[in-house]
Amino acid sequence: MKKSLFVLLGALCTMGLSAKTKTVTPLSFDRSKGVKTQLTMPDGHSVSYTAYTQLYYVTHVEDSTYQYLNIFVPDGATERTPIFLRTYVGGYMESRAGGPQADDASGRALAEGYVLVIPGSRGRRSTVPQGKKTLYTGRAPKGLLDLKAAVRYLRHFVREIPGDKERIITDGTSAGGAMSALLGATGNHPSYAPALKAMGAAEERDDVFASVCYCPIIDLDHADMAYEWLYGQTASRQSLSEDKRAITTALASQFPAYQASLGLSLPDGTPLTAETYPAYLKKLLITSAQEAKDAGATIPDSIGFSFSQQAHGQAPINGGVGAPPTPNSGAGMPPQGMGPRQRQQGEYITDLDLSKYLDYVVSTQPLKGVPAFDSYGVGGATASGENGLFGDDAGSDANFTPWAATQTGRRLSPALEERIRLMNPMNYIGAPKASTAPHWYIRHGARDRDTAFPVIINLATKLENTGKEVNFKLPWNRPHSGDYALGELFAWIRSIVR
Ligand code: DHB
């Protein structure tokens, strides 16, 4: 008991929450301060809404550039209208609260009639002056605490602010996708409560209804092992120096035990382990490519897929049965003189050579360095953004995995371990004291190499295994990106808020 109190106090001090004098401004919301304006959508139609801006969501504002949110209320919204909360965090950086963008999910949410909330939040590079010193005020988990405070602010003014506080849908991409996942996973968990109290966040719940996560960069403390386990055998990794390959091998070898420790299982009950993973990943990628093929995309022969031999001869016309395939219609053997590359594909994808496919992914964008995430000082590598995220308020970098720390002769203090724990949504899904969102929309492009596929598949699977509703895909041919296929996203949102 004593030890955990000590660890918590240590964590709070490292987080810059030790006794510091700050101005205390009570939380407020004044409905008369709204400004009426319009947004023109890409299709030319305009959406009228009222903007309420620069609403500070904590009473002890440490960084007035970031710690506020903006609210946009479309005409006709009521207290029963769902709230779409879009974070623009990228690269685990600070993010200023902006306005709706016509061509992303924020503008679309307004056009769909939802109340839009855009919170700012501190990030790994945000600083404030403190005497002669520069204080980094956004090191983990500060950005997340800001976003949780923003959710609490909405609940604090439950009657004054339009929108249904029980139907908050968070959205973000990449590090913002991770923030969305964290908001979804960690609702009301007591681990965050002391820090939120110290910031002057409202004493309210901070759970949300749904999380939209595009390519979330999560599970940072296990991302390196997953990355090398997946990509270690690619031509790109094999061509590295012996020293680097030794690091790859050491990291990859840690993955099976971690994967087993998660205790995940597939819908048919098969345990999701390092042994069963390749077959499951192939299945997800084949599903993705097949869906694209059905919609008319050409899937190249050269990237590892096999196709059924039987191509359909001719589509049925006017309700007819269609013509059977003829010898020259693309079915069966290629016509004489046609090389294998020109052979027409059958309708169905039957298999995938995973190594070939991973080499293809890497050919579209080079892999990250070794290690991909906790690189600081390992084999002479420089610090990653994530090393900055876990650094201290003086601006240091820090290792955040025991393995990397051992390599560099550092150690993870109990306070740092706690901060790492607070930043991983996997620790809270299914945890008894967390109110995890019931609905999840997770996308990670089929050629996104910013983190390894298992990281995202594990997130989706853990949520499914704990009974959440999960809409998950590896969309075909998408690189590391977000807010795409908005028709599909908003159809899903309509289905869950109905
Ligand atoms: C982001 C991308 C990364 O590859 C990463 O490691 C962290 C964040 C981003 O785009 O937000």
Side-chain angles (χ1 to χ4, degrees):
M1 187 64 193
K2 262 202 188 126
K3 183 168 175 258
S4 62
L5 185 64
F6 177 76
V7 167
L8 183 65
L9 288 174
L12 293 182
C13 288
T14 325
M15 287 152 60
L17 294 173
S18 50
K20 237 185 276 141
T21 2
K22 285 179 217 129
T23 331
V24 177
T25 321
L27 301 178
S28 67
F29 177 79
D30 181 347
R31 198 152 179 177
S32 73
K33 295 250 172 79
V35 177
K36 284 220 70 151
T37 179
Q38 290 198 330
L39 178 72
T40 305
M41 296 300 290
D43 66 1
H45 100 272
S46 65
V47 183
S48 298
Y49 64 94
T50 306
Y52 304 89
T53 54
Q54 222 168 336
L55 305 165
Y56 290 93
Y57 48 64
V58 288
T59 59
H60 298 42
V61 174
E62 191 168 35
D63 190 335
S64 57
T65 312
Y66 298 109
Q67 292 183 286
Y68 64 82
L69 55 81
N70 296 336
I71 302 176
F72 308 97
V73 182
D75 290 0
T78 68
E79 75 280 1
R80 290 173 40 214
T81 303
I83 297 175
F84 190 80
L85 185 152
R86 168 70 152 97
T87 164
Y88 283 91
V89 169
Y92 283 106
M93 303 275 275
E94 52 282 7
S95 162
R96 255 181 118 127
Q101 306 296 309
D103 55 4
D104 72 15
S106 66
R108 178 65 178 263
L110 267 188
E112 296 277 338
Y114 301 133
V115 172
L116 171 66
V117 174
I118 302 183
S121 52
R122 294 167 297 170
R124 65 181 167 87
R125 287 227 203 124
S126 54
T127 59
V128 293
Q130 192 193 46
K132 287 203 179 110
K133 284 200 268 181
T134 297
L135 204 61
Y136 283 73
T137 61
R139 263 71 207 292
K142 297 289 192 64
L144 172 61
L145 296 175
D146 284 352
L147 296 171
K148 287 171 92 67
V151 171
R152 288 170 169 225
Y153 175 93
L154 299 174
R155 281 220 175 83
H156 195 61
F157 295 105
V158 65
R159 280 188 231 302
E160 294 85 348
I161 298 174
D164 185 349
K165 319 305 175 295
E166 297 312 312
R167 288 190 298 173
I168 297 174
I169 300 148
T170 63
D171 171 44
T173 295
S174 195
M179 290 299 185
S180 185
L182 280 158
L183 286 171
T186 67
N188 309 331
H189 199 279
S191 295
Y192 304 87
L196 284 162
K197 193 177 177 70
M199 292 159 66
E203 296 277 352
E204 305 283 353
R205 287 166 35 222
D206 53 46
D207 58 302
V208 299
F209 178 67
S211 283
V212 176
C213 312
Y214 283 97
C215 54
I217 300 283
I218 59 150
D219 202 3
L220 297 174
D221 31 332
H222 305 101
D224 281 322
M225 55 179 83
Y227 206 79
E228 300 313 320
W229 178 82
L230 186 71
Y231 289 115
Q233 300 305 313
T234 54
S236 156
R237 279 299 196 244
Q238 288 300 308
S239 68
L240 293 176
S241 70
E242 211 169 297
D243 289 359
K244 294 264 184 231
R245 274 189 288 129
I247 297 173
T248 290
T249 307
L251 285 166
S253 71
Q254 298 164 27
F255 178 74
Y258 170 61
Q259 186 60 39
S261 77
L262 290 173
L264 302 177
S265 52
L266 297 176
D268 68 358
T270 309
L272 182 56
T273 62
E275 290 71 45
T276 60
Y277 232 118
Y280 187 54
L281 176 56
K282 271 166 63 163
K283 187 172 163 224
L284 292 173
L285 290 166
I286 289 173
T287 303
S288 166
Q290 183 73 58
E291 186 180 310
K293 186 167 159 55
D294 292 352
T298 304
I299 311 297
D301 283 327
S302 55
I303 62 175
F305 291 98
S306 312
F307 300 88
S308 59
Q309 290 299 300
Q310 198 70 17
H312 283 300
Q314 191 184 326
I317 297 167
N318 293 340
V321 291
T326 61
N328 285 326
S329 66
M333 295 295 290
Q336 296 249 317
M338 219 190 211
R341 292 188 65 81
Q342 288 125 314
R343 181 171 45 204
Q344 287 186 39
Q345 298 164 358
E347 223 26 66
Y348 298 102
I349 298 173
T350 53
D351 201 4
L352 173 62
D353 177 337
L354 196 54
S355 319
K356 209 164 170 182
Y357 184 78
L358 294 173
D359 278 328
Y360 153 73
V361 171
V362 179
S363 77
T364 70
Q365 194 178 10
L367 288 174
K368 291 182 166 185
V370 184
F373 293 89
D374 193 357
S375 53
Y376 181 42
V378 179
T382 53
S384 66
E386 285 81 0
N387 290 128
L389 178 69
F390 290 108
D392 65 16
D393 61 11
S396 70
D397 291 303
N399 288 121
F400 51 90
T401 59
W403 185 82
T406 306
Q407 300 302 301
T408 63
R410 299 180 176 95
R411 58 178 275 280
L412 307 184
S413 67
L416 177 55
E417 281 175 339
E418 175 62 1
R419 292 169 57 216
I420 297 163
R421 201 173 68 80
L422 293 171
M423 286 302 284
N424 193 338
M426 297 294 281
N427 296 327
Y428 298 89
I429 299 164
K433 291 180 184 157
S435 313
T436 298
H439 301 284
W440 292 74
Y441 186 93
I442 303 171
R443 294 291 183 267
H444 178 92
R447 61 181 181 85
D448 182 345
R449 70 28 146 179
D450 274 49
T451 197
F453 298 116
V455 168
I456 315 293
I457 297 170
N458 285 344
L459 171 68
T461 308
K462 186 155 191 183
L463 288 162
E464 278 162 3
N465 287 183
T466 49
K468 308 301 173 194
E469 185 251 332
V470 185
N471 185 313
F472 170 56
K473 267 185 203 174
L474 302 174
W476 181 246
N477 200 27
R478 293 280 181 189
H480 191 63
S481 53
D483 274 18
Y484 49 72
L486 293 179
E488 193 176 347
L489 170 63
F490 281 90
W492 175 77
I493 291 176
R494 275 193 295 280
S495 78
I496 61 162
V497 300
R498 196 173 286 147

